[in-house]
Each structure stands twice: as C-alpha cells, then as structure tokens.
Amino acid sequence: MAFNSRTNVATASTIDVAGILGKDPWFREVPELLQSAVLKMGVVRRLRTGQRLFSRGDATNGVYAVLEGRLAALDVNEQGDEAIQLHLEPVSWFGEMGLYDRLPRVHHIRAERPSAVLWLNDQLLRAHLEQCPQHWHHFGLLLTQKLRLALFILDGRKLDSNDLVVARTLLMIAQSYVPRGEGPVKLRVTIQQQEVADMLGMSRQTVSQALQRLKAEGILQIAYGKVEILDVAALQTKVHYENWLPVMSTGR
C-alpha cells in the first residue's frame, strides 16, 4: 500500500526519490555505497499543509530531506509565539545535528504546503555508520554547510546596513539556503515581508524600506507576497558573497 492515512507514510515508489536526490550536490558527492544505503533505508513521509513533522524538545529520530513542497523551521518563545526562521525546500537536509549530539530538536518543523520528506531512521542510519564509519565524514559536511549559512546570515547584523542584511537573506532564500552556489537560483521568492522581519528581528516597516531601496537599485522587483530578483550577480556583489567561498566541498 502506497499511503497510510494514519501514519502519513508513503512508500518510495510513489515518488522518484533517486531522481530528486540525484539533483542534490551533496548526495551526488557521497560514495555510491552511502547513496544506496540512503535509498534503501529511506522512508517517504507525506505532510498536509499545517502539519507538524516534529516539535522543539522532541527526541531526535533521524535525518530528513525535503523531496516536495515547503517546510518552515519555527522558533518559539516562552509564551508560545512562533516565528519562521527559514524555509526548507527540495532538496534540503535537516536533523543531522542530532545524529552527532543526540540532543532534542531545537525547532518546530511544519509543512507550509502539501509536502513529502525522506526520513532516515536514526537507528538504521547509526547501524550503517557503525559498519561504514568513513561515511560520518559526509554527514559532517552537512553540518559545516549549516554553520557557514548561519555565519553568512548573522555576519554584520550589528554593523551592516539593513539593506545589506535583507539582501543577504533574500539571496540565501533564492539559493534554497545552500551556501554553495551550485544549481539554479530561484528568481522568484515567495515570502511575506513579515516573515523576513521575523527571521531578522526587524520591524516590517524596516524590511519594506530596505526592499524599496533594493528595488530602486534595479536589483529586484516587489509584488504581493513575492520578490523577483532581477539581477542575481548584482545581489551577490552587494552582499560580498565571494568572501563565503560558496562552493560545495567534499572535504577531500
């Protein structure tokens, strides 16, 4: 049976998992043995719009990759208020931090639209890594990508202009939050200005003013709920993206 409505688990046969992952630079770089293991142990899970995959404080249960749709990673304060920290779209990997430290989840993960993720069960994945310890290295690269991303987003928040901080965030959204510069950049970013404001801890008015100034420079166009990037090269130059060496590294 391809779909179980109680568990929201679908078999891999309903989605071309290998084809989707084959477009991901990280997956293409890992050894064939690890690729085969991921495809063998991976379970496709479908999520309805608004459905939560896991919550902050939940025990780690493995690593995920977004295959279809879009998820949101949400921060939450002591009053229970939520704010989007980033969006996760195909192919975004997440959850690998818990693979190393075994600590609880640090975000809520919620489907923004009907979505599908590939789940690598923690126990099965650890069993494989015990048999092939050299493959820990490749999951470590996922962690370093996240660290580079975090530093890129945080860099200069207190020193740089609001325009530069907003531009940097838009670029990373357009590149699907992958700081490696490989693959097509999304020229149309679907995101609300309030979401950008929440991500950056700014007011919506401050974000709106920054976007208007970027528009005046001819870098982007603004529509309701969307931002269209007119000049990717100019946007990359503005945020000094070359300093971040946005190249996928195998660590070799």
Side-chain angles (χ1 to χ4, degrees):
M1 184 169 60
F3 179 79
N4 184 312
S5 61
R6 290 187 299 109
T7 60
N8 291 332
V9 173
T11 62
S13 61
T14 62
I15 294 179
D16 181 13
V17 177
I20 295 172
L21 293 186
K23 300 175 182 179
D24 175 49
W26 176 82
F27 187 78
R28 292 201 306 265
E29 290 286 346
V30 304
E32 291 186 8
L33 180 60
L34 180 53
Q35 290 181 359
S36 298
V38 167
L39 294 174
K40 182 178 180 180
M41 76 177 75
V43 175
V44 177
R45 297 185 60 183
R46 292 193 179 274
L47 301 170
R48 304 180 303 274
T49 300
Q51 184 177 354
R52 191 175 291 181
L53 179 63
F54 56 73
S55 301
R56 172 185 280 187
D58 286 353
T60 186
N61 67 341
V63 176
Y64 293 88
V66 182
L67 301 175
E68 294 179 353
R70 182 168 76 168
L71 309 183
L74 303 154
D75 196 9
V76 59
N77 64 17
E78 58 271 19
Q79 285 80 37
D81 298 324
E82 296 178 344
I84 294 176
Q85 293 301 303
L86 55 85
H87 288 114
L88 300 164
E89 297 184 340
V91 173
S92 296
W93 295 87
F94 60 99
E96 70 281 352
M97 189 161 58
L99 187 63
Y100 286 86
D101 60 22
R102 297 178 181 265
L103 294 177
R105 302 296 192 185
V106 297
H107 293 103
H108 298 337
I109 300 292
R110 184 182 68 199
E112 294 290 278
R113 60 180 66 135
S115 303
V117 298
L118 186 71
W119 172 42
L120 306 183
N121 177 277
D122 188 73
Q123 292 183 344
L124 295 178
L125 183 53
R126 289 181 182 279
H128 171 81
L129 293 172
E130 287 181 4
Q131 295 180 350
C132 303
Q134 68 274 21
H135 290 169
W136 278 103
H137 162 78
H138 299 283
F139 285 96
L141 287 177
L142 286 178
L143 276 178
T144 62
Q145 290 176 26
K146 300 291 176 60
L147 177 59
R148 186 176 292 274
L149 167 63
L151 293 174
F152 181 80
I153 294 296
L154 289 172
D155 182 55
R157 276 201 187 182
K158 295 186 180 298
L159 299 176
D160 291 332
S161 67
N162 292 330
D163 296 12
L164 189 56
V165 174
V166 171
R168 184 178 287 121
T169 301
L170 288 177
L171 179 61
M172 291 313 302
I173 295 172
Q175 295 186 178
S176 300
Y177 298 94
V178 182
R180 55 181 169 242
E182 182 172 338
V185 175
K186 292 182 298 183
L187 297 182
R188 293 186 178 179
V189 175
T190 303
I191 190 167
Q192 300 294 327
Q193 292 185 22
Q194 186 60 53
E195 292 178 342
V196 179
D198 290 341
M199 291 168 64
L200 297 174
M202 296 179 176
S203 69
R204 187 182 184 281
Q205 181 180 11
T206 298
V207 170
S208 178
Q209 292 171 346
L211 289 174
Q212 290 296 334
R213 286 189 290 269
L214 292 170
K215 176 182 176 181
E217 294 180 36
I219 293 176
L220 53 83
Q221 186 60 263
I222 305 170
Y224 182 76
K226 294 182 176 64
V227 175
E228 183 174 1
I229 300 173
L230 303 178
D231 193 335
V232 175
L235 183 59
Q236 291 175 332
T237 298
K238 185 175 185 66
V239 302
H240 308 293
Y241 192 59
E242 70 281 359
N243 294 341
W244 290 91
L245 302 176
V247 177
M248 178 63 185
S249 172
T250 63
R252 294 172 185 168

